[in-house]
Amino acid sequence: MSKILGHSFHIPVMGTGFTVDTPVKVAHLGISSVVSIVDDILLEKMRELYCNKLSLPFLPISEKTKDFRAERITSYLNLIDKIVKEKFENLKASVQEKKENLEEYLDLLPDFSEVKKEFKEKFEGSSYVKEAKEWLVKNLPLGSIDVNIMTKLDKDNFYEGEQLPAEYNDAHAALRGFAMSNLESSMVLSAGMNPRLYGYLEQFEDFYPDENGYIKKKIVLKVSDYRSALIQGKFLAKKGIWISEFRIESGLNCGGHAFATEGFLMGPILEEFKNNREELRITLSEILFQALKGKERVCPKSNLDIRITAQGGVGTAEEQEFLMNHYNLDSIGWGTPFLLVPEACDVDENTLHLLEEAQEKDLKLSHASPLGVRYNNLVANTRDRDVLKKFAENKPGSACTKKYMLANTEFTEKPICTASVQYQKLKLADLKEKNLSEKEYEKEVSLLLEKTCLCKGLSASSFLVNHIDTKADGDGVSICPGPNLAYFSKKAKLKEMVDHIYNRTNLIVRTDRPHMFIKEMSLYIDYLKEQIDELHNPVAKQLRSLEKYKDNLLNGVDYYKNLSNNITDKFKNMKNQVGKDLEKLELEIRGLLISSEK
C-alpha cells in the first residue's frame, strides 16, 4: 500500500443531487468526492446559484443550443474547480492570519497521514511562518473533484427535428463536458461497459499519459468482480487509455442501483484483486504501450500505477482499517453515512429526519428504478408517498420532463421511461387485456407502481436545500441509502463522521450491527431466496445458475472461515463477530432447496 499523504477515504457519488456540490464543501479540506454529471438541468441551476452567491457573472446556456448539455457540464465543473482552488489557496495562506482554517484541515487528517506527521515535526510551535507557508504550498493535498457517468444512460438526442450524431448522446455529451473542463481529476465510469462510449475517450488528449506517466484526466472503473475489471481494462488499454483505478463496490450492500453478482462476495473478490494486482498492472501496461506506439503517441518512461479502492457497507473504523491493511487498498468509499452529514451532502431536513429514523425494514432492495435494475430505496421517501392515491384517481406515473432514463421500447418505437405516465397507462391497458388471475394482476401492478421518477426525485433534495424553485418537478425526494444506514441514527458534523472513520469517536450506538461481510452475505441469501421463490416451470439453465450462485456463497463461507482463523489479535473483535454469525448463515445456505418442483 502506498504512503497515505492525506485521507484514506473518499465520498462516492450519491444520486444526482446529494453530492452535486460536495467538492465545494470538502475538497479544500483534502477530502475527495464524486459529482454526478447526469443531470445538466440541476448543474445549470447550481451554477446560477453559486454565481449569484459569489457575485460572478452568469450567462445561461439554453437548451436551444446544439451542444448545451456538454457546455453546461463544462461550465459547472469549471466553476466549482475555481471555487475549490480559491478556498484551498486561502487555507494555505492562513498559516498566520486565520490559523484555525489550517488547524481544521490538519485535525481532520488521520494520525498516520504523512503530511500531518511531517508538518507537526517541522513546524508545530514554530515561528517559521514563511517556511511553513512554503511547505504547505508544496505538500498539502487537495481533495479531488471527481465525476461520475452511468455509461448506459446514453440516449440519442435531436436538434431541430433531426437526430444528432452519437457524440451528442447523453453519456457522450457528459464525457465531453468533463473532457473540455479545467479539472485535473478522475471520471468514474459505472453501470457496465459501453464500447462506443469507451471508444470516444480516444478523441481527447487529456486522457492520455505523458512521458512521465502524468494523466490530467484519469479513468476510474467501478466494478464488482475481477473478470470485469480485466476485460474492460484490456479493452481500454488497446485504445491507449489507462485505468488509473479500479473501484470495487459490493453488489448488494451499497446505495442506489445494485448490480448483484452470481453469489460472489466482497471478501473473496478483494482477495483476487490483491493476489493479481501486479499481474493486472503488467498485463494492461504491455497492451497500453503497444497501443500508444501504434498510435505514434508518447509512451511513459515506466509502467503506470493502478489504485485499488473499495466501497459498499463499510461502517466502522475497524472495518476501514482491516480493508486497508489486509487487502492493500488505497482508499475506502464511505457513502451512505455521509447522507447524515449536512456539511458534506445536500439532504433536506424532512428527508434527513427519515434517514435518522430508518431501520432495516425501511431500507428495501426495490424495483423502483425505471432502468429495470434493482435499486436500494428508502421506503418512506416523499417522492413515492402519493403513488397509490394517484393510481386510484387514474393518474399513474410521472410527467417525463428530464428524459434521462428513456430505455423501454415495449410499446413504442422510441424509448420511453417506465415511470412515465405514457408507459404506465400503456402497461396497465396491456395487463388488463391479458386476463391474468387476480393475484398475478395485482403483483404486476404492484411492480409497475414501484417505478419512480428518479430524474426528479434524486435532484429534489438539492433544490430544497439550496432554496431553488421546485414548481417544475415537485418537491418529492427519492433517496437511495444502502442497508448500512440502519445502524447510523443521528445527524452528524463533518468532524464527527471523519473522527468515526479514524476511530477517534463512535457514532453507532446499536450493539447488534453485523460485520459488513456478514451483512452482505445475508443480503445475498435473501436475494437467492427471492430468485428461488420466483421460479415457475424453470428450465435446466435457470436451475444450474441458481446452484452456481449457492455454490459461490458456500465458497464465500469457506473463505471467511479461513480468513477468520488467520486474523491477528488486533482484529479479534471482528474475528469473534464474523465467526459467530458465519455458522448460522452457512446452515441457512445449505438448507436452501433449488428444485424444478414448486
Side-chain angles (χ1 to χ4, degrees):
M1 187 172 64
S2 58
K3 283 185 177 181
I4 301 295
L5 298 177
H7 288 284
S8 60
F9 76 92
H10 57 272
I11 302 175
V13 67
M14 285 184 278
T16 53
F18 303 113
T19 56
V20 66
D21 59 343
T22 295
V24 174
K25 300 171 180 178
V26 303
H28 66 290
L29 297 172
I31 300 171
S32 297
S33 59
V34 186
V35 176
S36 169
I37 52 175
V38 166
D39 190 342
D40 61 275
I41 297 171
L42 172 62
L43 300 187
E44 182 74 347
K45 293 284 188 183
M46 293 299 292
R47 185 169 70 90
E48 181 180 14
L49 175 85
Y50 275 103
C51 283
N52 290 338
K53 274 186 179 180
L54 301 171
S55 300
L56 296 171
F58 172 74
L59 296 174
I61 299 169
S62 169
E63 290 185 3
K64 295 179 181 178
T65 306
K66 186 176 181 181
D67 200 22
F68 72 90
R69 180 170 169 79
E71 290 178 17
R72 285 176 170 180
I73 291 167
T74 300
S75 297
Y76 179 68
L77 296 180
N78 284 346
L79 176 63
I80 61 173
D81 182 57
K82 172 184 167 67
I83 295 170
V84 165
K85 284 178 178 173
E86 286 182 357
K87 291 177 80 169
F88 192 52
E89 290 307 312
N90 290 338
L91 184 146
K92 288 186 289 186
S94 71
V95 65
Q96 185 173 18
E97 297 86 358
K98 293 182 179 178
K99 198 174 179 183
E100 64 272 12
N101 293 346
L102 177 60
E103 288 174 349
E104 179 188 11
Y105 183 108
L106 294 171
D107 282 347
L108 288 174
L109 289 174
D111 293 338
F112 53 77
S113 162
E114 296 296 322
V115 166
K116 188 172 188 175
K117 287 179 184 177
E118 193 170 339
F119 185 83
K120 284 189 172 184
E121 288 171 4
K122 287 179 179 288
F123 304 109
E124 193 167 57
S126 168
S127 59
Y128 300 113
V129 175
K130 181 182 177 183
E131 290 84 350
K133 187 175 178 181
E134 289 174 354
W135 186 91
L136 290 170
V137 169
K138 291 179 182 178
N139 294 280
L140 211 61
L142 174 65
S144 187
I145 307 171
D146 297 330
V147 305
N148 174 253
I149 293 176
M150 283 187 71
T151 60
K152 300 295 176 64
L153 292 182
D154 198 26
K155 78 173 194 308
D156 297 331
N157 284 310
F158 296 79
Y159 183 68
E160 296 181 346
E162 297 291 327
Q163 183 172 329
L164 292 167
E167 58 263 33
Y168 290 92
N169 289 5
D170 275 5
H172 281 68
L175 188 157
R176 181 167 62 259
F178 172 66
M180 301 306 293
S181 74
N182 299 330
L183 286 181
E184 182 181 356
S185 63
S186 298
M187 180 169 65
V188 183
L189 299 172
S190 64
M193 188 168 170
N194 181 339
R196 187 167 61 175
L197 181 71
Y198 285 9
Y200 191 48
L201 290 164
E202 295 179 82
Q203 298 191 25
F204 301 98
E205 192 66 29
D206 282 0
F207 292 115
Y208 290 99
D210 66 13
E211 64 176 5
N212 297 314
Y214 166 77
I215 305 173
K216 183 174 181 180
K217 291 184 169 66
K218 299 180 177 68
I219 298 297
V220 174
L221 276 188
K222 191 190 287 188
V223 294
S224 56
D225 60 71
Y226 181 78
R227 180 175 174 271
S228 173
L230 185 60
I231 290 171
Q232 294 186 73
K234 285 181 175 179
F235 184 91
L236 284 162
K238 287 175 183 176
K239 297 180 179 299
I241 304 296
W242 182 249
I243 306 302
S244 297
E245 177 184 331
F246 289 100
R247 186 161 289 184
I248 305 148
E249 183 171 69
S250 170
L252 291 178
N253 197 16
C254 60
H257 287 94
F259 299 88
T261 66
E262 294 180 315
F264 295 110
L265 300 172
M266 191 78 160
I269 291 168
L270 291 173
E271 191 75 39
E272 190 172 9
F273 273 91
K274 174 185 174 181
N275 294 337
N276 294 291
R277 181 172 184 161
E278 186 60 16
E279 182 183 341
L280 177 66
R281 188 175 75 89
I282 292 170
T283 299
L284 297 185
S285 292
E286 289 173 352
I287 297 171
L288 177 82
F289 278 60
Q290 187 177 352
L292 292 174
K293 288 173 184 175
K295 288 173 174 279
E296 298 183 345
R297 298 191 67 92
V298 171
C299 287
K301 295 174 183 175
S302 59
N303 285 348
L304 302 176
D305 288 329
I306 290 178
R307 283 168 52 88
I308 305 293
T309 63
Q311 57 197 42
V314 185
T316 68
E318 186 178 41
E319 290 172 354
Q320 160 90 10
E321 187 178 0
F322 181 79
L323 291 175
M324 292 291 293
N325 291 347
H326 184 77
Y327 298 108
N328 298 331
L329 298 177
D330 296 290
S331 182
I332 305 296
W334 284 67
T336 291
F338 273 98
L339 290 172
L340 289 165
V341 182
E343 291 170 78
C345 296
D346 285 356
V347 181
D348 61 284
E349 282 295 329
N350 187 30
T351 303
L352 194 58
H353 177 68
L354 292 175
L355 295 177
E356 288 179 310
E357 297 294 315
Q359 302 294 311
E360 288 91 341
K361 63 181 175 58
D362 303 309
L363 303 163
K364 180 182 177 184
L365 183 63
S366 73
H367 294 274
S369 172
L371 299 178
V373 178
R374 300 301 294 275
Y375 182 79
N376 277 306
N377 202 20
L378 178 68
V379 175
N381 74 79
T382 56
R383 172 63 58 173
D384 299 337
R385 64 189 167 193
D386 297 326
V387 169
L388 292 176
K389 180 184 175 186
K390 287 173 65 181
F391 175 66
E393 296 170 354
N394 197 27
K395 296 177 182 177
S398 302
C400 192
T401 55
K402 291 190 172 182
K403 303 183 185 299
Y404 298 130
M405 295 191 178
L406 306 185
N408 185 281
T409 55
E410 188 179 350
F411 304 110
T412 56
E413 186 177 342
K414 288 183 179 179
I416 59 176
C417 177
T418 57
S420 68
V421 173
Q422 181 184 8
Y423 176 84
Q424 297 220 345
K425 286 192 172 181
L426 289 168
K427 184 66 174 179
L428 286 167
D430 181 63
L431 290 173
K432 286 176 182 176
E433 289 178 4
K434 286 184 175 178
N435 295 317
L436 300 172
S437 69
E438 185 178 350
K439 183 178 180 181
E440 288 176 314
Y441 178 76
E442 287 178 356
K443 180 182 177 183
E444 290 293 331
V445 170
S446 178
L447 285 172
L448 178 66
L449 296 181
E450 270 197 66
K451 303 300 178 191
T452 192
C453 180
L454 296 183
C455 293
K456 298 174 185 175
L458 291 177
S459 63
S461 189
S462 188
F463 276 56
L464 293 169
V465 168
N466 294 293
H467 307 292
I468 300 171
D469 188 4
T470 60
K471 285 179 184 176
D473 294 334
D475 58 5
V477 174
S478 295
I479 194 161
C480 48
N484 198 28
L485 177 72
Y487 311 107
F488 290 85
S489 55
K490 64 176 183 177
K491 180 168 65 174
K493 295 183 181 299
L494 178 64
K495 178 72 163 63
E496 290 175 323
M497 186 58 71
V498 175
D499 283 349
H500 174 81
I501 292 170
Y502 294 136
N503 204 27
R504 298 188 291 237
T505 191
N506 179 27
L507 296 179
I508 298 177
V509 295
R510 288 178 59 172
T511 58
D512 60 343
R513 179 187 180 274
H515 188 274
M516 61 174 288
F517 287 161
I518 294 297
K519 180 67 175 180
E520 185 195 47
M521 185 180 291
S522 67
L523 292 169
Y524 268 98
I525 293 171
D526 290 343
Y527 189 81
L528 178 55
K529 287 178 181 176
E530 180 186 298
Q531 303 305 303
I532 294 171
D533 288 343
E534 290 179 358
L535 283 177
H536 296 286
N537 302 316
V539 296
K541 185 179 179 181
Q542 288 176 299
L543 295 174
R544 286 197 302 270
S545 176
L546 293 179
E547 286 289 358
K548 182 181 177 183
Y549 185 121
K550 181 177 175 179
D551 288 343
N552 288 336
L553 285 181
L554 290 171
N555 289 337
V557 169
D558 290 340
Y559 170 82
Y560 288 131
K561 281 181 180 178
N562 184 58
L563 179 68
S564 184
N565 289 335
N566 291 288
I567 288 176
T568 61
D569 289 343
K570 185 176 183 181
F571 298 104
K572 62 182 179 182
N573 288 337
M574 170 184 161
K575 179 174 181 174
N576 294 336
Q577 188 181 19
V578 170
K580 181 179 66 176
D581 295 329
L582 206 52
E583 185 177 343
K584 183 177 72 172
L585 292 181
E586 181 180 8
L587 288 172
E588 191 172 353
I589 297 166
R590 292 193 184 279
L592 293 174
L593 180 63
I594 300 170
S595 170
S596 59
E597 298 179 7
K598 293 291 288 182

